[in-house]
């Protein structure tokens, strides 16, 4: 059973919008202290994009502040990433991840996560 499953990726033009979803298994969602969206483009390092903790506090990478919004729906066990004003540089495979550790800061620089999805591709054309 997939612990996390992303959807919503696709191809858009520069300036467009997309909303990614990450459906979580109930245990994964309810036990997680921190959930994150990562992205990785070919030949580039993985980048933490946005995080949200159990209480709903959010943090963003500087590269997406003001354009992306992370949110979650506790009733649906689902994590979201609303992406606006997309740029070609946002093209990447986007992954959601979750972790139960409360003692690590929940921020985009956090690297260790227990549960991972398979990713969804986002392509932005100019």
């Amino acid at each position: 059973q997939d612990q996390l499953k992303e959807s919503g990726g696709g191809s858009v033009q520069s300036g467009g919008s997309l909303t990614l979803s990450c459906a979580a298994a109930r245990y994964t969602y309810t036990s997680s202290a921190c959930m994150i969206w990562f992205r990785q483009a070919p030949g580039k390092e993985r980048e933490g994009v946005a995080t949200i903790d159990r209480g709903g506090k959010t943090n963003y990478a500087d590269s997406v502040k003001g354009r992306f919004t992370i949110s979650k729906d506790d009733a649906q066990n689902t994590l979201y990433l609303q992406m606006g004003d997309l740029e070609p540089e946002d093209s990447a495979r986007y992954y959601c991840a979750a972790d139960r550790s409360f003692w690590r800061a929940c921020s985009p620089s956090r690297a260790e996560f227990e549960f991972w999805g398979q990713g969804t591709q986002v392509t932005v054309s100019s």
Side-chain angles (χ1 to χ4, degrees), residues 17 33 44 53-54 86 91 95 100 118:
S17 301
K44 294 188 177 181
D53 68 13
R54 182 175 289 186
L86 285 162
S91 296
Y95 301 85
R100 295 173 291 181
Q118 297 298 309

XYZ file of all heavy atoms in Angstrom, residues 17 33 44 53-54 86 91 95 100 118:
85
model
N -0.782 28.021 -13.314
C -0.950 27.485 -11.970
C -1.223 25.991 -12.011
O -1.767 25.478 -13.005
C -2.121 28.179 -11.272
O -1.930 29.576 -11.186
N 4.698 14.377 12.125
C 4.945 15.669 12.759
C 5.229 16.742 11.724
O 5.015 17.927 11.968
C 6.120 15.553 13.719
N 20.058 18.291 -11.014
C 20.069 19.233 -9.894
C 19.832 18.499 -8.580
O 19.277 17.393 -8.550
C 19.002 20.313 -10.092
C 19.267 21.223 -11.264
C 18.280 22.369 -11.287
C 18.572 23.338 -12.427
N 17.615 24.471 -12.448
N 3.701 21.651 9.559
C 3.757 20.749 10.699
C 2.346 20.361 11.135
O 1.354 20.802 10.554
C 4.579 21.350 11.842
C 3.937 22.559 12.505
O 2.738 22.825 12.273
O 4.650 23.233 13.270
N 2.270 19.548 12.173
C 0.978 19.022 12.589
C 0.021 20.132 12.983
O -1.186 20.040 12.774
C 1.157 18.044 13.747
C -0.148 17.419 14.209
C 0.080 16.386 15.258
N 0.696 15.189 14.701
C 0.898 14.077 15.401
N 0.577 14.032 16.676
N 1.450 13.039 14.841
N 3.922 30.183 -12.191
C 4.972 29.205 -12.443
C 5.978 29.682 -13.472
O 5.630 30.400 -14.430
C 4.346 27.878 -12.886
C 3.704 27.075 -11.745
C 2.738 26.036 -12.299
C 4.774 26.416 -10.896
N 10.126 23.648 -13.148
C 9.980 22.313 -13.746
C 10.823 21.309 -12.983
O 12.025 21.513 -12.777
C 10.423 22.345 -15.217
O 9.585 23.180 -15.972
N 7.842 15.666 -5.068
C 7.600 14.561 -4.146
C 7.043 15.083 -2.829
O 7.460 16.137 -2.358
C 8.902 13.827 -3.816
C 9.624 13.239 -5.000
C 10.492 14.006 -5.762
C 9.448 11.902 -5.338
C 11.167 13.468 -6.845
C 10.118 11.350 -6.424
C 10.968 12.139 -7.168
O 11.631 11.590 -8.235
N 7.719 11.320 11.398
C 7.101 11.348 12.712
C 7.931 12.057 13.773
O 7.442 12.283 14.880
C 6.821 9.912 13.183
C 5.793 9.182 12.334
C 5.680 7.736 12.733
N 6.863 6.982 12.385
C 7.004 5.684 12.615
N 6.049 5.010 13.215
N 8.111 5.057 12.253
N 6.012 8.638 -4.798
C 6.726 8.346 -6.048
C 6.955 9.580 -6.901
O 7.744 9.546 -7.845
C 5.957 7.299 -6.851
C 5.845 5.961 -6.147
C 7.197 5.330 -5.917
O 8.000 5.217 -6.836
N 7.462 4.914 -4.680
